Amino acid sequence: MRDSYILAIRWASDRIGKSGVIGVVTNAGWLEGNAMDGMRKCLAEEFSSVYVLNLRGNQRTQGERSRQEGGQVFGAGSRAPVAVTLFVRNPESTDKGCRILYHDIGDYLGREEKLDKVKGFRGIDGLAGQWTEIKPDTHHDWLNQRDAGFEKFMVLGDKRGRSEDVIFKNYSQGVKTNRDAWCYNYSEAALRWNIQAMIRFYESERQRLQEEVFMGRRLTSNEVTRFVNNDPTKISWTKDLKDDLARNKELSVQEGRITIAQYRPFTRQHLYHSRRLNQSIYRIPQLFPYEASENLVISVVSRGATVAFSCLLVAQIPDLECISKGQCFPRWLYSKSKENQDGLFVEGGHPNTDSHGYVRESAIKEEALQVFAEKMGGGIPLLRMTCSITSTAYSMSPLIGRNMPPISVRNCPASLSPKMFRNSTSWSNQEGNSENCTLTMRMSVSIPSPLKRGDGNPQMAHPPKRGSEWRIVQCAIQGKGGRKINPRSSITGRSPYRTFPKKPMTTWSTGNQPLHG
């Protein structure tokens, strides 16, 4: 550990010898970080008592959680939570083990309110009766101690083979492009133009680089960075793309394909899917190997997520941030068909090979299906399970959503595999689960609205000639059933979406999504 706070505490612990007191003001991340369990274990072993005043202020959170954290104690320049801690080593202590006393400053407090409360405490005695004694669990958790019942859950997936009770054979994270502005677009034509323009610029830089390099010498990454034009309006460079440039590798539009992707919840965009222009595609080719491949994917938040637990069922390639750092558990797995050398199958490979040369198999393990069959139907024979796999997938999505939130609140550690609770009562409403999941997927598809487009006048039906005139700067009511979206343009008519009764609705757009007419 090279953290200066940890090194300072270690040095001070060695310095005071057999008795003494250490007072520190540090980042409070060590109180509940998964990587700090060893540090907490050592502190509990080395000291007779520990007093922790948590001043909160973690601004690496979002939404309601961020508001609860309150103001930053050290001003706007600080984003980390802060804690005041006293470590006491008393050889004459009669307490069995380390006594850990903790006090939380409170929710929704501003910086000045926190400092005023600290001044009012004046010392440890000022918090008499307000300390909460912490008993570390076997995992050395102090705060948000994990629920032991978590270990009884079924593991959703395990690529390392450490668990036998696993539901899915394989899974993948969503696509990470590292250049979303180039690789995603609501308009297929605009996306194609962007990709072609970036590839043309890459090729011009590649040729320019070769003209400058003598005797075939390969440039280092730093030399390439200094050489290339880093204009973000022409290209988005990554280390891998610069390495390709240094190796003089050509780049072509044909190396990727344009497909529909689930960019954000209920928001689909066109994606240029390419191993070279997408930073990481993980195992997505096993889930969606070609344009017309069909699949259902349960996307679940994963380690490093910046939001509370959630899950979403999607039917297209998911983006990594569709669900924050999403891990995607599929209904199907695709693999390239291989010719059987023994001649047991028909010519061309596996008998179930599709027209694209892929074999599709269930991603849900038979052992898991047996459990689901018992829960859903009282013991469906194994031979009949294949008829219930899709029903199982539909049932799992709401089940994961119901069972995981309370576990995450009780510190379901990110270092452990995602798991799922076996709950017989959760399988009773299969029909409702199927309808909910179907509705969820259809919500991502926008229905063209029978709206007329106008140019400054709701009665005029011809559209503006310049795309900038479609920019939404307001959505004010203009006459019966009309909506004015900017000073020059408006749209009229009634939307088929009846979200708000007795009010004419227009097609709402997000980002650069076009209006439908």
Side-chain angles (χ1 to χ4, degrees), residues 439-508:
L439 177 61
T440 297
M441 290 184 292
R442 288 180 177 176
M443 286 179 68
S444 300
V445 182
S446 58
I447 303 174
S449 304
L451 303 174
K452 294 182 179 180
R453 299 172 177 173
D455 185 6
N457 186 337
Q459 303 302 319
M460 297 178 64
H462 62 83
K465 296 181 179 180
R466 294 191 297 273
S468 62
E469 295 181 2
W470 284 113
R471 186 181 301 277
I472 297 178
V473 297
Q474 61 183 344
C475 210
I477 297 176
Q478 183 177 6
K480 186 176 181 180
R483 290 293 186 276
K484 187 175 182 180
I485 61 174
N486 61 43
R488 297 193 59 184
S489 304
S490 60
I491 52 180
T492 63
R494 284 181 177 270
S495 169
Y497 301 98
R498 302 303 182 191
T499 308
F500 302 99
K502 300 181 181 179
K503 288 186 179 181
M505 295 299 296
T506 62
T507 301
W508 295 94

Side-chain angles (χ1 to χ4, degrees), residues 210-277:
Q210 293 307 309
E211 293 173 359
E212 296 292 333
V213 176
F214 298 97
M215 301 178 65
R217 184 176 69 87
R218 180 177 170 181
L219 300 181
T220 65
S221 297
N222 290 335
E223 289 175 326
V224 171
T225 299
R226 289 194 296 268
F227 177 86
V228 299
N229 185 339
N230 291 292
D231 186 350
T233 64
K234 298 181 181 297
I235 195 170
S236 178
W237 291 106
T238 59
K239 183 180 182 303
D240 290 345
L241 197 58
K242 289 178 181 178
D243 289 343
D244 287 347
L245 189 72
R247 290 192 291 265
N248 193 30
K249 291 184 64 175
E250 294 184 11
L251 186 60
S252 170
V253 176
Q254 283 70 34
E255 293 186 36
R257 60 184 173 91
I258 293 180
T259 185
I260 298 295
Q262 195 75 39
Y263 184 59
R264 292 294 184 268
F266 315 117
T267 303
R268 297 178 184 178
Q269 291 194 32
H270 293 281
L271 164 68
Y272 181 73
H273 191 44
S274 165
R275 287 187 179 274
R276 293 183 63 188
L277 291 184

Side-chain angles (χ1 to χ4, degrees), residues 196-426:
Q196 290 174 346
M198 183 168 65
I199 290 177
R200 283 196 300 269
F201 184 76
Y202 170 88
E203 285 296 305
S204 67
E205 289 296 276
R206 184 180 65 83
Q207 294 173 8
R208 187 169 69 91
L209 179 64
Q210 293 307 309
E211 293 173 359
E212 296 292 333
V213 176
F214 298 97
M215 301 178 65
R217 184 176 69 87
R218 180 177 170 181
L219 300 181
T220 65
S221 297
N222 290 335
E223 289 175 326
V224 171
T225 299
R226 289 194 296 268
F227 177 86
V228 299
N229 185 339
N230 291 292
D231 186 350
T233 64
K234 298 181 181 297
I235 195 170
S236 178
W237 291 106
T238 59
K239 183 180 182 303
D240 290 345
L241 197 58
K242 289 178 181 178
D243 289 343
D244 287 347
L245 189 72
R247 290 192 291 265
N248 193 30
K249 291 184 64 175
E250 294 184 11
L251 186 60
S252 170
V253 176
Q254 283 70 34
E255 293 186 36
R257 60 184 173 91
I258 293 180
T259 185
I260 298 295
Q262 195 75 39
Y263 184 59
R264 292 294 184 268
F266 315 117
T267 303
R268 297 178 184 178
Q269 291 194 32
H270 293 281
L271 164 68
Y272 181 73
H273 191 44
S274 165
R275 287 187 179 274
R276 293 183 63 188
L277 291 184
N278 299 159
Q279 179 66 20
S280 300
I281 61 175
Y282 303 105
R283 289 176 170 83
I284 289 296
Q286 297 181 33
L287 279 56
F288 298 94
Y290 52 88
E291 177 68 27
S293 56
E294 296 181 355
N295 216 334
L296 293 175
V297 172
I298 303 175
S299 187
V300 182
V301 297
S302 181
R303 66 181 64 185
T306 57
V307 299
F309 180 86
S310 59
C311 65
L312 185 69
L313 185 68
V314 299
Q316 285 77 31
I317 295 176
D319 185 77
L320 179 67
E321 296 298 333
C322 176
I323 292 290
S324 185
K325 306 298 184 291
Q327 291 284 3
C328 306
F329 298 91
R331 161 70 176 86
W332 301 103
L333 287 174
Y334 290 82
S335 59
K336 269 288 187 182
S337 176
K338 297 180 180 179
E339 291 189 7
N340 190 291
Q341 298 179 355
D342 298 329
L344 297 178
F345 300 124
V346 296
E347 184 178 358
H350 197 281
N352 295 327
T353 302
D354 62 20
S355 59
H356 295 270
Y358 285 89
V359 177
R360 188 177 75 170
E361 64 172 336
S362 172
I364 304 173
K365 300 186 71 172
E366 292 183 354
E367 295 82 358
L369 285 174
Q370 180 65 59
V371 176
F372 302 146
E374 294 173 357
K375 300 296 182 182
M376 290 189 291
I380 299 175
L382 188 61
L383 293 177
R384 294 174 55 196
M385 280 184 193
T386 53
C387 299
S388 303
I389 296 177
T390 300
S391 177
T392 298
Y394 277 138
S395 298
M396 278 193 296
S397 182
L399 177 61
I400 295 172
R402 275 197 299 270
N403 284 282
M404 290 300 286
I407 297 301
S408 64
V409 170
R410 294 196 294 269
N411 190 21
C412 168
S415 60
L416 300 180
S417 301
K419 299 190 177 182
M420 177 177 164
F421 187 53
R422 297 176 180 173
N423 185 348
S424 59
T425 61
S426 298

Side-chain angles (χ1 to χ4, degrees), residues 170-190:
N170 208 341
Y171 58 97
S172 171
Q173 283 195 300
V175 171
K176 179 173 69 172
T177 70
N178 275 13
R179 48 173 66 87
D180 286 6
W182 294 93
C183 291
Y184 280 104
N185 206 296
Y186 288 102
S187 167
E188 181 179 355

